[in-house]
């Protein structure tokens, strides 16, 4: 029945997320090597970044019967200057590693400040490492032992990238580990306490979930069947009327056949066969400049965003697409979205 189908999709999605993680690892590594990885310095809501990261890891820990704990020291400031995406990425890498190499017990994140530095410490009760393994673990494409890759998966790049990102942020990553007892990874970053970041109005869509896009007519161009189903599910669950197409050409044909007024917004995947999202968007922009097109890309890279904007898109979403973010971005660009009911 429906539940079985949903369970299958969730499995496919989570394996897709894992694959995306591995691909992003390799891309990040090549960007670091080329000195191209940009680091932001904006007010970071630390509680939120930590909370989001733990929420992301909760399921993996629960699946292994591990306790996932947070020890938030009173010294942790509400906000400091930094790069929320990169801090999140470092935490995800350290926590997922800890969960991966721990079979029973717990994984704990300690967060606070010491000596004017932001300290994030991830400790586990896992397999641990000896000195030689610790040295190896930071070498690119190596895990403590090659059978590790086979047993635990991944690229063996996680810690190399994590350390590089921490260094790019002006910090250090140290590890302390005892075989059979567990490991502790400590990140120290410069801590410039900032005024709390203004809450981003966009990220909290108006109204109750379930009807925030009531009556909104959305044209979707997406060549991947699973992504189409996921988008359809997201959009319909919020009351939108959805039309699905498989590439840029189909989207254009549909638009020209039904006319500009048939749709309120277009969700355009960027990489598609026959006609890609950039070409389709340039076409739409030339003929119907007031129809908002939102791009979907596989990465949150700045150049992908820039390419989307150059083609005439009003915004872009990085995959895997988050439900609330999807709603928020649509509401940001579609005038009177809430009023169509």
């Amino acid at each position: 029945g429906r539940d079985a189908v949903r369970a299958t999709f969730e499995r496919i999605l989570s394996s897709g997320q894992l694959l995306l993680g591995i691909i992003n690892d390799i891309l990040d590594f090549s960007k670091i090597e080329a000195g191209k990885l940009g680091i932001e310095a904006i007010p970071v809501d630390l509680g939120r970044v930590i909370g989001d990261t733990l929420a992301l890891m909760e399921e993996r820990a629960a699946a292994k019967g591990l306790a996932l704990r947070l020890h938030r020291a009173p010294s942790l400031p509400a906000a400091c200057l930094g790069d929320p995406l990169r801090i999140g990425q470092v935490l995800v890498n350290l926590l997922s590693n800890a969960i991966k190499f721990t079979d029973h017990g717990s994984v704990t994140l300690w967060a606070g400040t010491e000596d004017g530095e932001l300290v994030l410490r991830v400790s586990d009760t896992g397999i641990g490492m000896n000195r030689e393994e610790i040295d190896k673990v930071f070498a690119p494409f190596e895990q403590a032992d090659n059978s590790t890759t086979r047993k635990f998966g991944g690229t063996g790049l996680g810690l190399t990238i994590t350390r590089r990102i921490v260094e790019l942020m002006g910090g250090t990553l140290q590890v302390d580990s005892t075989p059979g007892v567990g490991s502790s990874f400590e990140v120290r970053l410069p801590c410039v306490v900032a005024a709390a970041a203004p809450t981003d109005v966009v990220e909290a869509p108006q109204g109750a979930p379930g009807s925030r896009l009531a009556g909104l007519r959305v044209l979707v161009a997406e060549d991947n069947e699973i992504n189409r189903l996921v988008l359809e599910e997201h959009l319909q669950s919020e009351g939108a009327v959805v039309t699905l197409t498989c590439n840029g050409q189909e989207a254009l044909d549909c638009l020209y056949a039904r006319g500009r007024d048939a749709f309120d917004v277009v969700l355009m995947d960027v990489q598609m066969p026959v006609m890609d999202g950039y070409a389709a968007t340039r076409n739409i922009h030339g003929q119907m400049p007031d129809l908002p097109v939102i791009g979907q890309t596989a990465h949150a890279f700045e150049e992908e965003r820039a390419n989307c904007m150059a083609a005439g898109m009003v915004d872009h979403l990085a995959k895997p697409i988050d439900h609330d973010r999807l709603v928020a971005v649509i509401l940001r660009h579609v005038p009177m979205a809430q009023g169509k009911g």
Side-chain angles (χ1 to χ4, degrees), residues 25-41:
D25 267 2
I26 291 169
L27 287 168
D28 270 349
F29 187 68
S30 61
K31 295 193 78 155
I32 291 171
E33 291 291 274
K36 292 262 173 63
L37 192 77
I39 299 285
E40 286 193 304

Side-chain angles (χ1 to χ4, degrees), residues 292-330:
V293 179
I294 295 166
Q296 294 150 231
T297 66
H299 306 285
F301 290 155
E302 195 44 54
E303 60 259 41
E304 295 217 346
R305 188 183 172 81
N307 290 341
C308 286
M309 299 311 178
M313 295 178 185
V314 293
D315 214 325
H316 109 299
L317 289 157
K319 296 177 188 175
I321 288 172
D322 172 78
H323 182 95
D324 282 334
R325 181 147 177 76
L326 172 69
V327 175
V329 168
I330 291 174

Side-chain angles (χ1 to χ4, degrees), residues 6-20 224 226-227 229-231 233-234 319-321:
R6 178 181 288 268
T8 306
F9 276 134
E10 278 172 359
R11 271 204 307 282
I12 293 168
L13 269 175
S14 67
S15 63
Q17 300 254 23
L18 194 70
L19 202 60
L20 184 72
N224 179 300
I226 290 165
N227 292 347
L229 282 159
V230 170
L231 274 172
E233 168 87 21
H234 280 331
K319 296 177 188 175
I321 288 172

Side-chain angles (χ1 to χ4, degrees), residues 91-173:
L91 286 175
V92 164
N93 270 341
L94 294 179
L95 287 165
S96 58
N97 251 355
I99 293 166
K100 183 156 66 166
F101 295 113
T102 304
D103 281 330
H104 38 78
S106 60
V107 170
T108 306
L109 169 60
W110 187 95
T113 52
E114 284 174 3
D115 309 324
E117 290 179 307
L118 174 64
V119 179
L120 301 165
R121 199 178 292 122
V122 174
S123 42
D124 62 56
T125 56
I127 58 176
M129 295 176 287
N130 60 31
R131 188 69 252 169
E132 192 187 343
E133 287 169 336
I134 291 173
D135 292 340
K136 256 183 156 178
V137 88
F138 288 107
F141 300 107
E142 282 208 36
Q143 285 174 323
D145 120 39
N146 284 334
S147 63
T148 312
T149 310
R150 288 200 292 276
K151 182 177 174 196
F152 296 101
T155 51
L157 270 178
L159 285 172
T160 310
I161 290 176
T162 305
R163 173 170 267 181
R164 292 284 181 90
I165 291 172
V166 168
E167 287 168 354
L168 284 172
M169 291 193 285
T172 57
L173 171 59

